């Protein structure tokens, strides 16, 4: 990236950083159980809600107790269950039509980050009926208040239950983009470890590493605050202590509770301090090839941390001490020890280093999408343009490592 571009990015980021204390960030109110919702809705005189989820969650019966409880308490629960792993603009429009058709008064996002993001984007369309989702890409494009939103995560990873972001794929172009605005922060988050108990080991691992990516990228960026550093370090500590336990023993509810807390804390951290090129690359791959976001982050994370080099050494060395990954007195060795601990985590969970989906002819487009998302918004340790990012896509190609 040339000096003029770098200067523009840093000035943009510094202005946002200075503005942080004055922006209306808030944390959702945490509810311990889905059975808290009927009382909540009655207190707000809400009698019809739209529950947004996916077919897998619905088929597993995870929504059934909530649907039954709401019905028994006189609250109509309309269900949209066609959300796909990377939610699309078509998903949002279908959910929006149901919301208006049944005169709903509130939204519930029930599931992984995809369902919660779909609920957020539906709220944005309700608030701004004459504005397309594409026109709300970026930051502060929603502005108006959305209907009451409850987020119920069934994975411990995305942090979507506490963030101001919704990530959507355009159904026609397959462009994947974030919508960031304060009204999208859910008013309530239900953190119930029982809802994550049936999550397969592979998804427990990749969603947990998704939360780790959020916390690490927030911590090593240039827009941290005392509060976001505290949230990020707590999340990283909890993940290093509990993720393997949750993967190996699905019934360990303490580990699952701690992972939900970690995901929540990591979400708080990156909501204010943003993420980096790991996310930008992962979003481009999710949009083009429908690769699950948590899985993509898990594959990419150590490669980009190494790419930052000396620009991230000090903070990665701090994380090595915090996580217990390394206590070597040499800062560089300690930083590499933290990255190596993530690599070991990946290997233990069977997460590869490459993607079979990436095609050489797609790389310029993918890199341009990642650069467009990240620059100038993300306060990364080392700025890179689209051309510089292309090499990392080639490193992520399965054929690159001879693994055809």
């Amino acid at each position: 990236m040339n000096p003029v571009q770098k200067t523009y990015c840093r000035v943009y980021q510094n202005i946002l950083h200075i503005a942080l204390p004055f922006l209306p960030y808030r944390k959702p109110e945490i509810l311990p159980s889905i059975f808290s919702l009927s009382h909540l809705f009655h207190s707000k005189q809400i009698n019809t809600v739209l529950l947004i989820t996916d077919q897998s969650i619905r088929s597993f019966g995870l929504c059934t107790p909530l649907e039954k409880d709401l019905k028994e308490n006189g609250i109509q629960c309309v269900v949209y269950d066609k959300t796909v792993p990377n939610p699309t603009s078509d998903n949002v429009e279908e959910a929006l039509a149901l919301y208006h058709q049944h005169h709903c008064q509130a939204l519930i996002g029930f599931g992984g980050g995809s369902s919660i993001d779909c609920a957020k984007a539906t709220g944005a369309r309700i608030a701004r009926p004459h504005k397309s989702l594409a026109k709300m890409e970026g930051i502060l494009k929603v502005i108006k208040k959305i209907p009451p939103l409850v987020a119920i995560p069934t994975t411990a990873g995305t942090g979507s239950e506490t963030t101001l972001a919704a990530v959507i794929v355009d159904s026609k172009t397959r462009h994947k983009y974030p919508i960031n605005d304060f009204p999208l922060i859910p008013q309530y988050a239900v953190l119930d470890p029982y809802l994550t108990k049936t999550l397969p080991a592979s998804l427990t691992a990749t969603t947990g590493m998704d939360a780790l990516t959020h916390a690490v990228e927030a911590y090593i960026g240039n827009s941290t605050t005392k509060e976001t550093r505290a949230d990020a370090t707590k999340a990283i500590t909890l993940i290093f202590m509990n993720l393997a336990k949750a993967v190996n023993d699905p019934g360990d509810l303490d580990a699952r509770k701690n992972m939900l807390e970690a995901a929540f804390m990591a979400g708080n951290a990156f909501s204010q301090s943003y993420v980096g090129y790991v996310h930008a690359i992962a979003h481009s791959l999710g949009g083009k090839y429908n690769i699950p976001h948590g899985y993509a982050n898990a594959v990419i994370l150590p490669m980009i941390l190494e790419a930052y080099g000396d620009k991230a050494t000090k903070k990665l060395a701090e994380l090595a001490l915090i996580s217990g990954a390394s206590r070597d007195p040499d800062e560089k060795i300690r930083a590499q020890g933290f990255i190596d601990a993530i690599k070991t985590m990946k290997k233990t969970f069977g997460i590869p280093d490459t993607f079979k989906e990436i095609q050489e002819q797609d790389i310029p487009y993918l890199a341009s999408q990642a650069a467009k998302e990240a620059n100038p918004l993300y306060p990364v340790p080392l700025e890179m343009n689209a051309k510089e990012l292309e090499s990392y896509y080639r490193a992520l190609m399965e054929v690159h490592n001879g693994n055809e």
Side-chain angles (χ1 to χ4, degrees), residues 167-188:
V167 181
I168 300 297
V169 175
D170 187 289
S171 296
K172 293 180 180 177
T173 66
R174 298 304 299 172
H175 171 49
K176 187 172 184 177
Y177 57 90
I179 300 169
N180 302 281
D181 207 340
F182 300 103
L184 300 187
I185 301 172
Q187 284 90 341
Y188 304 91

Side-chain angles (χ1 to χ4, degrees), residues 60-296:
F60 290 150
L62 289 180
C63 303
T64 304
L66 174 58
E67 292 178 56
K68 182 180 178 183
D69 184 69
L70 292 176
K71 183 178 180 180
E72 289 175 352
N73 284 278
I75 297 167
Q76 182 184 4
C77 181
V78 180
V79 179
Y80 176 76
D81 64 0
K82 294 181 173 58
T83 309
V84 296
N86 290 291
T88 66
S89 52
D90 282 350
N91 287 149
V92 174
E93 294 306 312
E94 289 166 2
L96 177 68
L98 271 182
Y99 185 93
H100 288 307
Q101 179 184 341
H102 293 274
H103 307 288
C104 299
Q105 301 157 284
L107 295 161
I108 300 173
F110 193 121
S114 296
S115 295
I116 297 172
D117 280 6
C118 186
K120 289 179 177 180
T122 302
R125 286 285 288 119
I126 294 165
R128 303 300 300 268
H130 304 299
K131 196 170 189 177
S132 70
L133 287 176
K135 293 291 185 182
M136 289 187 264
E137 176 180 357
I139 60 173
L140 308 180
K141 303 283 184 67
V142 181
I143 301 173
K144 294 186 178 180
K145 187 176 180 181
I146 70 170
L149 171 61
V150 178
I152 308 177
T154 58
T155 65
T158 69
S160 189
E161 68 274 7
T162 185
T163 70
L164 51 70
V167 181
I168 300 297
V169 175
D170 187 289
S171 296
K172 293 180 180 177
T173 66
R174 298 304 299 172
H175 171 49
K176 187 172 184 177
Y177 57 90
I179 300 169
N180 302 281
D181 207 340
F182 300 103
L184 300 187
I185 301 172
Q187 284 90 341
Y188 304 91
V190 178
L191 302 185
D192 187 341
Y194 285 94
L195 296 176
T196 70
K197 193 176 176 181
T198 59
L199 197 67
S202 60
L203 281 176
T204 300
T206 55
T207 54
M209 290 197 70
D210 189 16
L212 179 63
T213 305
H214 295 153
V216 171
E217 289 207 290
Y219 189 89
I220 67 173
N222 295 328
S223 292
T224 61
T225 65
K226 183 178 180 180
E227 182 182 10
T228 61
R229 286 192 295 273
D231 283 342
T233 53
K234 185 171 183 180
I236 290 165
T237 302
L238 286 171
I239 291 165
F240 269 78
M241 291 177 63
N242 292 279
L243 181 54
K245 292 179 184 178
V247 171
N248 295 325
D249 182 4
D252 189 335
L253 291 179
D254 285 336
R256 291 195 172 276
K257 180 182 178 183
N258 288 332
M259 285 303 301
L260 278 171
E261 183 180 355
F264 187 85
M265 292 294 176
N268 288 333
F270 90 81
S271 269
Q272 297 184 55
S273 293
Y274 301 101
V275 283
Y277 288 124
V278 179
H279 270 74
I281 293 171
H283 285 155
S284 71
L285 295 174
K288 180 67 176 177
Y289 306 119
N290 213 31
I291 296 171
H293 180 64
Y295 175 81

Side-chain angles (χ1 to χ4, degrees), residues 377-391:
L377 180 62
Y378 295 164
V380 290
L382 176 68
E383 297 281 357
M384 290 182 269
N385 60 26
K387 197 67 181 174
E388 290 165 321
L389 288 172
E390 286 185 17
S391 64

Side-chain angles (χ1 to χ4, degrees), residues 307-355:
Y308 288 142
D310 292 343
K311 297 290 186 180
T313 294
K314 183 178 185 295
K315 289 184 176 179
L316 290 176
E318 292 169 356
L319 293 181
L321 290 175
I322 289 163
S323 65
S326 173
R327 301 196 179 280
D328 195 284
D330 185 284
E331 199 171 65
K332 282 191 176 181
I333 294 174
R334 205 161 67 241
Q336 187 60 50
F338 181 72
I339 298 172
D340 289 343
I342 296 173
K343 290 181 178 180
T344 300
M345 198 181 289
K346 280 178 58 177
K347 187 175 181 180
T348 301
F349 299 146
I351 298 168
D353 298 320
T354 58
F355 300 97

